Amino acid sequence: MATITETVRRPQVRQTQCFIGGKWIPAASGKTFETIHPATEEVICEVAEGDKEDVDAAVDAAREAFDHGEWSKMDARDRGALIHKLADLIEEEKDELAAIETLDNGKPISDSRNADIPLVIDCLRYYAGWADKIEGRTIPIRGNYFCYTRREPIGVVGQIIPWNFPALMTAWKWGPALAAGCTIVMKPAEQTPLSCLRMARLAQKAGIPDGVINVVPGYGPTAGAAIVKHPGVDKIAFTGEGATAKIIQREAAETMKRLTFELGGKSPNVIFADADLDAAIEGAHFALYFNQGQCCCAGSRLFVEERVHDEVVDRLRERNLDRKVGDPFDPETQQGPQVDEAQFDKILKYVEYGKKDGAKIVSGGKRVGDKGYFVEPTLFSGVTDDMRIAKDEIFGPVLSVLKFKNVDEIVKRSNATNFGLAAAVWTRDVAKAHRYAANVRAGTVWINCYDVFDAAAPFGGFKQSGLGRELGEAGLANYTELKTVTVSMT
Ligand code: ADP
């Protein structure tokens, strides 16, 4: 067992350079940055620090592959087969990829193995199936004309992703882009570049032509900004913070790039007194603490109906005390470290805000150990809507419980935020559940469940939680331009 653990703990990190036009090359500046294992704060390796020059080269390669290469013009079914092949190769290396993800991000190995990597494979397979099903329509216009539409690939897409689900965000971005016939310049997050680089290696091995996928690791304001400003990029798909999205939106205005954003949230999770409380409590725990609380759709505002409030808080506390926090490579671990020091500091600052604003700590609130960025699963009760912990996205294991009295009040309070990514409701009353689903302003609503993701189901935000949708047919549509062709029949 010890040897297995050691092998898993030290996956082979082979790809650390920029991947441009099918070649692995150092950054033009020669600069590198460190990526660390957040459980021990040890440096894993140095990674090429891409910047404008590298982005220029990557966009040239992607442009060439799009404008003159075979990719966007090949038989769509063959393109689908290559995406399937990439999924096959990931499946072959799934244990190693899961270990790389845990090493770089700190998430528990059981999550990397059972959630992240299987979802990566599923997403790629789902979109592989779409490649030959991207159809236009015929339109009955006035006069003697034949009018039809074509859905064409949008072109070169810049994809900028965060660190919370590095491999999965790569798949969410690559799947629809590849199916549509686009070419890609991707920048993974500076905290977690390794799984994306490994996936690029597998894409090459699968036979996806050189220049179709290019990866430039580096920082946001340098490499990221260069992608956003580049006139050769047709669309930006971004996942991250709203503040960054607003910068991107301004920068992209100059070249009128197409934009899709998947941003933050402060999602309401509502437990009515008539709910199956066992399921609701487990669901509320999972909704917030999964992935160390580092989910854009985390159920971070837990509204509990007055009648069952005290019981729910007591049982959530017990559940938190039971949660196994520690070495992310231990298969029993349920919660690993936060991704880096900045996130760790931010979370502890919000714990202080919670106390200052008058909320009551029910459990947690402190660091775990003295090495690595571990935070106790933290539960606040007595939270009111105006407190900072009820309004701001904390992106950590801090759950705020708010009390409510009736149905009318809960929709209003759920919607009293600029976010609108997700919401959930727990009740046995079907009509009440659907009424809530219809009235809450959020892109995804879960009824008696939470965080149920599927590549076929669109995901994205209302209000300041996003622009456009990812996954499903809607996600694919955002990688296409619609062309109308009208033919005179005379
Ligand atoms: P998070 O808090 O999740 O790190 P960010 O929005 O800061 O959210 O980062 C998400 C991604 O956006 C990362 O890959 C980051 O490097 C990138 N990024 C940050 N700032 C910019 C920027 N000004 N332009 C383009 N990309 C950026």
Coordinates of all heavy atoms in Angstrom, one line a residue, residues 160-164 187-191 218-226 228 238-245 247-248 251 343 395, ligand 1:
I160 N -9.3 30.9 -21.4 CA -8.6 31.3 -20.2 C -9.3 30.7 -19.0 O -10.5 30.9 -18.9 CB -8.5 32.8 -20.1 CG1 -7.8 33.4 -21.3 CG2 -7.8 33.2 -18.8 CD1 -7.8 34.9 -21.3
I161 N -8.6 29.8 -18.3 CA -9.4 29.0 -17.3 C -8.8 29.2 -15.9 O -7.6 29.6 -15.7 CB -9.4 27.5 -17.7 CG1 -8.0 27.0 -17.8 CG2 -10.3 27.3 -18.9 CD1 -7.9 25.5 -17.9
P162 N -9.6 28.9 -14.9 CA -9.1 29.0 -13.5 C -8.5 27.7 -13.0 O -8.3 26.8 -13.7 CB -10.4 29.4 -12.7 CG -11.4 28.6 -13.5 CD -11.0 28.5 -14.9
W163 N -8.2 27.7 -11.7 CA -7.4 26.6 -11.0 C -8.3 25.6 -10.3 O -7.8 24.7 -9.7 CB -6.4 27.2 -10.1 CG -7.0 28.3 -9.2 CD1 -6.9 29.7 -9.4 CD2 -7.8 28.2 -8.1 NE1 -7.6 30.4 -8.5 CE2 -8.2 29.5 -7.6 CE3 -8.3 27.1 -7.4 CZ2 -9.0 29.7 -6.5 CZ3 -9.1 27.3 -6.3 CH2 -9.5 28.6 -5.9
N164 N -9.6 25.9 -10.2 CA -10.4 25.0 -9.3 C -10.7 23.6 -9.8 O -10.8 22.6 -9.1 CB -11.7 25.7 -8.8 CG -12.6 26.2 -9.9 OD1 -12.2 26.3 -11.0 ND2 -13.8 26.5 -9.5
K187 N -4.8 29.4 -22.1 CA -3.9 29.7 -21.0 C -4.5 29.1 -19.7 O -5.6 29.6 -19.2 CB -3.8 31.2 -20.8 CG -2.6 31.5 -19.8 CD -2.7 32.9 -19.2 CE -3.6 33.0 -18.1 NZ -3.2 32.2 -16.9
P188 N -3.8 28.1 -19.2 CA -4.3 27.6 -17.9 C -4.0 28.5 -16.8 O -3.2 29.5 -17.0 CB -3.5 26.3 -17.8 CG -2.3 26.4 -18.6 CD -2.6 27.4 -19.7
A189 N -4.6 28.3 -15.6 CA -4.3 29.2 -14.5 C -2.8 29.0 -14.0 O -2.3 27.9 -14.1 CB -5.2 28.9 -13.3
E190 N -2.2 30.1 -13.6 CA -0.8 30.0 -13.2 C -0.6 29.1 -12.0 O 0.5 28.5 -11.8 CB -0.3 31.4 -12.8 CG -1.1 32.2 -11.8 CD -2.2 33.0 -12.4 OE1 -2.7 32.6 -13.5 OE2 -2.6 34.1 -11.8
Q191 N -1.7 28.8 -11.2 CA -1.5 28.0 -10.0 C -1.5 26.5 -10.4 O -1.0 25.6 -9.7 CB -2.7 28.1 -9.1 CG -2.8 29.5 -8.4 CD -3.6 30.5 -9.2 OE1 -3.8 30.3 -10.4 NE2 -4.0 31.6 -8.6
G218 N 1.2 30.8 -18.1 CA 1.7 32.1 -17.7 C 0.6 32.9 -16.9 O -0.3 32.3 -16.4
Y219 N 0.9 34.1 -16.6 CA 0.0 34.9 -15.8 C -1.1 35.7 -16.5 O -1.0 35.9 -17.7 CB 0.9 35.9 -15.0 CG 1.8 35.3 -14.0 CD1 3.1 35.0 -14.3 CD2 1.3 34.8 -12.7 CE1 3.9 34.4 -13.3 CE2 2.1 34.2 -11.8 CZ 3.4 34.0 -12.1 OH 4.2 33.3 -11.2
G220 N -2.1 36.1 -15.8 CA -3.3 36.7 -16.4 C -3.0 38.0 -17.1 O -3.2 38.2 -18.3
P221 N -2.4 39.0 -16.3 CA -2.2 40.3 -16.9 C -1.2 40.4 -18.0 O -1.1 41.4 -18.8 CB -1.7 41.1 -15.7 CG -2.2 40.4 -14.5 CD -2.1 38.9 -14.9
T222 N -0.4 39.3 -18.2 CA 0.6 39.3 -19.3 C 0.1 38.3 -20.4 O -0.4 38.8 -21.4 CB 2.0 38.8 -18.7 OG1 1.8 37.6 -18.0 CG2 2.6 39.8 -17.9
A223 N 0.2 37.0 -20.2 CA -0.2 36.1 -21.3 C -1.7 36.1 -21.5 O -2.1 36.2 -22.7 CB 0.2 34.6 -20.8
G224 N -2.5 36.2 -20.4 CA -3.9 36.3 -20.6 C -4.3 37.5 -21.4 O -5.1 37.4 -22.4
A225 N -3.8 38.6 -21.0 CA -4.2 39.9 -21.6 C -3.8 39.9 -23.1 O -4.5 40.5 -23.9 CB -3.6 41.1 -20.9
A226 N -2.6 39.3 -23.4 CA -2.1 39.3 -24.8 C -3.1 38.5 -25.7 O -3.3 38.8 -26.8 CB -0.7 38.6 -24.8
V228 N -6.3 38.2 -25.1 CA -7.6 39.0 -25.2 C -7.4 40.1 -26.2 O -8.3 40.4 -27.0 CB -7.9 39.6 -23.8 CG1 -9.1 40.6 -23.9 CG2 -8.3 38.4 -22.8
F238 N -13.9 32.5 -21.2 CA -13.2 32.8 -19.9 C -14.0 32.2 -18.8 O -15.2 32.4 -18.7 CB -13.0 34.3 -19.8 CG -12.6 34.7 -18.4 CD1 -11.2 34.6 -18.0 CD2 -13.5 35.2 -17.5 CE1 -10.8 35.0 -16.7 CE2 -13.1 35.6 -16.2 CZ -11.7 35.4 -15.8
T239 N -13.3 31.6 -17.8 CA -13.9 31.2 -16.6 C -13.0 31.8 -15.5 O -11.8 31.6 -15.5 CB -14.0 29.7 -16.4 OG1 -14.8 29.2 -17.5 CG2 -14.6 29.3 -15.1
G240 N -13.6 32.5 -14.5 CA -12.8 33.1 -13.5 C -13.7 34.2 -12.7 O -14.9 34.0 -12.7
E241 N -13.0 35.2 -12.3 CA -13.7 36.2 -11.4 C -14.4 37.3 -12.3 O -13.9 37.6 -13.3 CB -12.6 36.9 -10.6 CG -12.3 36.2 -9.3 CD -11.4 37.1 -8.4 OE1 -11.7 38.3 -8.3 OE2 -10.5 36.5 -7.9
G242 N -15.5 37.8 -11.8 CA -16.2 38.8 -12.4 C -15.4 40.0 -12.7 O -15.5 40.7 -13.8
A243 N -14.5 40.4 -11.8 CA -13.7 41.6 -12.0 C -12.7 41.4 -13.2 O -12.5 42.3 -14.0 CB -12.9 41.9 -10.7
T244 N -12.2 40.2 -13.3 CA -11.3 39.9 -14.5 C -12.2 40.0 -15.8 O -11.7 40.5 -16.8 CB -10.7 38.5 -14.3 OG1 -10.1 38.4 -13.0 CG2 -9.6 38.3 -15.3
A245 N -13.4 39.4 -15.7 CA -14.2 39.4 -16.9 C -14.5 40.8 -17.4 O -14.6 41.1 -18.6 CB -15.5 38.7 -16.6
I247 N -12.6 43.4 -17.1 CA -11.3 43.9 -17.8 C -11.3 43.3 -19.2 O -11.1 44.0 -20.2 CB -10.1 43.5 -17.0 CG1 -10.0 44.1 -15.6 CG2 -8.8 43.8 -17.8 CD1 -8.9 43.6 -14.7
I248 N -11.6 42.0 -19.3 CA -11.5 41.3 -20.6 C -12.6 41.9 -21.5 O -12.3 42.2 -22.7 CB -11.8 39.8 -20.4 CG1 -10.6 39.2 -19.7 CG2 -12.0 39.1 -21.7 CD1 -10.7 37.7 -19.3
E251 N -11.2 45.2 -22.8 CA -10.1 45.0 -23.7 C -10.5 44.4 -25.0 O -10.0 44.7 -26.1 CB -9.0 44.0 -23.1 CG -8.4 44.6 -21.8 CD -7.4 45.7 -22.2 OE1 -7.1 45.9 -23.3 OE2 -6.8 46.3 -21.2
Q343 N -5.6 32.5 -1.5 CA -7.0 32.1 -1.2 C -7.2 31.8 0.3 O -8.2 32.1 0.9 CB -7.3 30.8 -2.0 CG -7.4 31.0 -3.5 CD -8.5 32.0 -3.9 OE1 -9.6 31.9 -3.4 NE2 -8.2 32.9 -4.8
F395 N -15.2 31.5 -1.7 CA -14.5 30.5 -2.4 C -13.6 29.6 -1.5 O -12.5 29.3 -1.7 CB -13.6 31.1 -3.5 CG -13.7 30.4 -4.9 CD1 -14.9 30.5 -5.5 CD2 -12.7 29.8 -5.5 CE1 -15.1 29.8 -6.7 CE2 -12.8 29.2 -6.7 CZ -14.0 29.2 -7.3
Ligands
ADP1 P1 -9.3 33.3 -9.7 O1 -9.6 34.2 -8.6 O2 -10.2 32.1 -9.9 O3 -7.8 33.1 -9.9 P2 -9.1 35.1 -12.0 O4 -10.1 35.8 -12.8 O5 -8.1 36.0 -11.3 O6 -9.8 34.2 -11.0 O7 -8.3 34.1 -12.9 C1 -8.8 33.2 -13.8 C2 -8.0 33.1 -15.0 O8 -7.9 34.4 -15.6 C3 -6.5 32.7 -14.7 O9 -6.0 31.9 -15.8 C4 -5.8 34.1 -14.7 O10 -4.4 34.0 -15.0 C5 -6.5 34.8 -15.8 N1 -6.4 36.3 -15.8 C6 -6.3 37.0 -14.7 N2 -6.2 38.4 -15.0 C7 -6.4 38.4 -16.4 C8 -6.4 39.5 -17.3 N3 -6.3 40.7 -17.0 N4 -6.6 39.1 -18.6 C9 -6.7 37.9 -19.0 N5 -6.7 36.8 -18.2 C10 -6.5 37.1 -16.9

